[in-house]
Amino acid sequence: MHHMTLAEIARGLADKKFSSEELTQVLLARIAQLDPQLNSFISLTEELALSQAKAADARRANGETGALLGAPIAHKDLFCTQGIRTSCGSKMLDNFKAPYDATVVAKLAAAGTVTLGKTNMDEFAMGSANESSYYGAVKNPWNLEHVPGGSSGGSAAAVAARLLPAATATDTGGSIRQPAAFTNLTGLKPTYGRVSRWGMIAYASSLDQGGPLARTAEDCAILLQGMAGFDPNDSTSIDEPVPDYSASLNGSLQGLRIGVPKEYFSAGLDPRIAELVHNSVKELEKLGAVIKEISLPNMQHAIPAYYVIAPAEASSNLSRFDGVRFGHRCENPENLIDLYKRSRGEGFGAEVQRRIMVGAYALSAGYYDAYYLKAQKIRRLVKNDFMTAFNEVDIILGPTTPNPAWKLGAKNSDPVAEYLEDVYTITANLAGLPGLSMPAGFVDGLPVGVQLLAPYFQEGRLLNVAHQYQLNTDWHTRTPTGF
Ligand code: GLN
């Protein structure tokens, strides 16, 4: 039962082959048995899951239908869940029970999903390896000595290990696409503004975007359908109609113009990944796509710009954790300043503290122009590169990551080495564009992803290309040994 995709589950439930309650019991038992190896969950919500499953079964018995009605999922632990711990992977929020549901959580619950739990993540979504979590590192089911990617490593490891069919995640600089690549999943970062950020604990508000992590493009379409849409509670949410994503999957790729940026194939890219990317290009050519070399000349500046803008926004967003209103509070403070200092010093881990300092520095008088303003100018140039490219091509294709998943601990002493791994994903966040990573082969037994980028609001096009690719390849069906 645990091998089923969301699409297969929807069919099975509709045909009364099993109930949501039965499926939920099977998956909860599987999580109890296997998750100790992976550490992909921070909290399990068995009671909620069983009551939601029963309610979904009752709705189906009353004649209701819907692809998500009775579907088991989990939420990354930065989506607020009413009455349930929402930790953001941090000691700071270890004792925090959200007083309301995030819009994404509420929408998915209304569609009938069953919440199995809250998944592990890098602290405040800062990281690319899921090693900065207060709750410990997550292991990659493809090789337990390797990282699953981050920051949505818990969602990725759980779905890859068949503990559940799909999960929510968020992507500020790659945190949906990179863990998808590292664990052989399909992950979609929507256009900025497509999915409400209300109730998503903010890291860098102008970059953060929620989206689906699943095994197939077909399932990403189903989950995105339940997440997307205008939300008056989020001032950056965009009031655009949500298309039928599942209906977009079957378009022909005949004549589709695919741009491959020459800058992607620099010395930093593992040549074995380059070869798999070329293989995926050939596969899409067979399906009728036309390949064109393009250029994204400002790509080389994206990492430095991102690692100024994201920490700058984080330093502002995280100022609300002051030990006064909610979250961790130190014992016996001597005065207000002592309360602030010790609550934040004890509550935040090393990487979060590093970013708060970098961000506050970049925003300070005297350095604002030299760092923050300059980074914003680069951001515009990166966006302009994409706008120029999309005059000539329909999608852009390349590697999701320069390397496969590294060993646990391998980059702990060198944060910048980890930042550099985000080179292919970060540009989409700076520009606000949608991006998808799909399985495209293996290197040393570890999965490799190919990334597709599209113009604003063309999530359907990304899902279409990935689905057609998945109808003609079987990388996405491979299962890690032992799971
Ligand atoms: N690795 C990037 C960072 O650490 C992206 C994280 C994310 O997308 N949340 O900021």
Side-chain angles (χ1 to χ4, degrees):
M1 240 177 173
H2 59 266
H3 281 287
M4 286 185 297
T5 62
L6 280 180
E8 289 163 351
I9 289 169
R11 281 194 289 274
L13 288 171
D15 296 346
K16 300 197 170 52
K17 295 219 169 90
F18 48 84
S19 68
S20 174
E21 191 182 350
E22 280 162 353
L23 176 62
T24 300
Q25 301 271 20
V26 167
L27 295 181
L28 286 172
R30 201 171 150 78
I31 292 168
Q33 183 203 346
L34 294 171
D35 198 48
Q37 293 179 60
L38 299 170
N39 196 28
S40 61
F41 281 89
I42 291 175
S43 305
L44 288 174
T45 52
E46 292 103 329
E47 265 177 46
L48 171 69
L50 289 169
S51 75
Q52 285 178 326
K54 282 183 194 148
D57 287 335
R59 281 166 68 180
R60 279 202 187 264
N62 278 333
E64 236 187 279
T65 55
L68 288 168
L69 187 52
I73 60 161
H75 293 295
K76 185 176 182 178
D77 205 18
L78 60 56
F79 286 97
C80 283
T81 40
Q82 186 174 8
I84 296 165
R85 173 167 62 179
T86 301
S87 76
C88 223
S90 182
K91 179 179 178 186
M92 181 59 88
L93 291 176
D94 183 48
N95 64 4
F96 176 63
K97 287 189 176 152
Y100 63 95
D101 279 335
T103 297
V104 161
V105 172
K107 280 174 85 92
L108 287 173
T113 60
V114 171
T115 304
L116 301 182
K118 304 290 295 289
T119 56
N120 205 342
M121 55 179 286
D122 276 303
E123 187 177 5
F124 284 99
M126 298 175 188
S128 311
N130 212 124
E131 291 181 289
S132 75
S133 169
Y134 172 62
Y135 303 90
V138 177
K139 317 282 165 52
N140 190 326
W142 289 92
N143 183 331
L144 297 173
E145 290 178 7
H146 287 249
V147 303
S151 61
S152 312
S155 289
V159 177
R162 275 65 179 162
L163 304 186
L164 74 176
T168 60
T170 63
D171 190 312
T172 303
S175 285
I176 292 177
R177 293 161 286 156
Q178 186 253 20
F182 279 10
T183 59
N184 208 42
L185 298 181
T186 307
L188 172 64
K189 180 201 95 73
T191 307
Y192 183 77
R194 175 78 293 183
V195 169
S196 169
R197 292 184 297 107
W198 198 70
M200 243 171 71
I201 295 174
Y203 161 19
S205 312
S206 77
L207 301 158
D208 297 342
Q209 186 62 199
L213 255 176
R215 295 202 288 273
T216 62
E218 188 182 24
D219 279 9
C220 283
I222 292 171
L223 195 54
L224 179 63
Q225 202 74 47
M227 298 173 80
F230 176 63
D231 179 7
N233 286 334
D234 171 1
S235 62
T236 58
S237 167
I238 297 176
D239 197 358
E240 273 277 316
V242 180
D244 180 342
Y245 293 117
S246 296
S248 70
L249 295 171
N250 294 313
S252 157
L253 303 192
Q254 200 61 47
L256 179 88
R257 298 167 304 166
I258 298 182
V260 180
K262 58 175 193 251
E263 290 82 2
Y264 279 5
F265 298 89
S266 69
L269 177 63
D270 183 326
R272 298 167 301 173
I273 294 186
E275 196 186 324
L276 292 173
V277 171
H278 289 306
N279 292 347
S280 74
V281 167
K282 280 185 219 142
E283 198 60 51
L284 292 168
E285 272 184 310
K286 276 195 238 157
L287 300 177
V290 186
I291 312 301
K292 196 175 159 66
E293 186 183 86
I294 58 164
S295 175
L296 298 172
N298 291 291
M299 177 181 156
Q300 52 175 321
H301 306 303
I303 288 191
Y306 171 90
Y307 278 98
V308 168
I309 293 169
E313 294 185 21
S315 76
S316 168
N317 276 326
L318 271 57
S319 65
R320 74 192 64 174
F321 303 108
D322 56 4
V324 177
R325 286 163 297 178
F326 50 85
H328 177 74
R329 177 180 297 175
C330 69
E331 299 281 344
N332 305 317
E334 281 168 20
N335 52 43
L336 189 60
I337 297 298
D338 186 46
L339 170 80
Y340 291 156
K341 276 191 179 165
R342 282 203 288 126
S343 298
R344 289 167 69 79
E346 292 165 8
F348 291 137
E351 183 60 25
V352 173
Q353 294 191 23
R354 180 179 297 120
R355 299 211 188 181
I356 290 173
M357 284 193 282
V358 168
Y361 182 83
L363 288 175
S364 61
Y367 293 104
Y368 182 91
D369 290 357
Y371 293 105
Y372 185 72
L373 212 57
K374 191 138 217 179
Q376 292 291 15
K377 289 178 181 168
I378 292 170
R379 184 174 191 171
R380 172 49 67 119
L381 294 176
V382 167
K383 179 188 163 175
N384 289 351
D385 283 358
F386 280 121
M387 297 303 102
T388 307
F390 283 128
N391 284 330
E392 295 177 50
V393 297
D394 304 309
I395 63 164
I396 294 174
L397 182 148
T400 307
T401 62
N403 294 295
W406 54 89
K407 276 203 158 158
L408 285 153
K411 294 186 194 288
N412 285 358
S413 58
D414 186 358
V416 175
E418 190 169 319
Y419 300 169
L420 293 173
E421 296 291 327
D422 299 335
V423 59
Y424 297 117
T425 49
I426 263 170
T427 50
N429 302 78
L430 289 172
L433 292 167
L436 175 148
S437 180
M438 60 182 189
F442 290 81
V443 161
D444 293 336
L446 291 163
V448 166
V450 156
Q451 177 177 242
L452 309 172
L453 302 173
Y456 297 115
F457 294 104
Q458 297 305 317
E459 286 80 7
R461 190 182 297 168
L462 295 175
L463 292 163
N464 177 205
V465 176
H467 181 65
Q468 294 304 311
Y469 179 80
Q470 290 176 344
L471 288 176
N472 291 281
T473 55
D474 69 354
W475 303 117
H476 63 288
T477 65
R478 311 280 174 102
T479 310
T481 318
F483 297 96

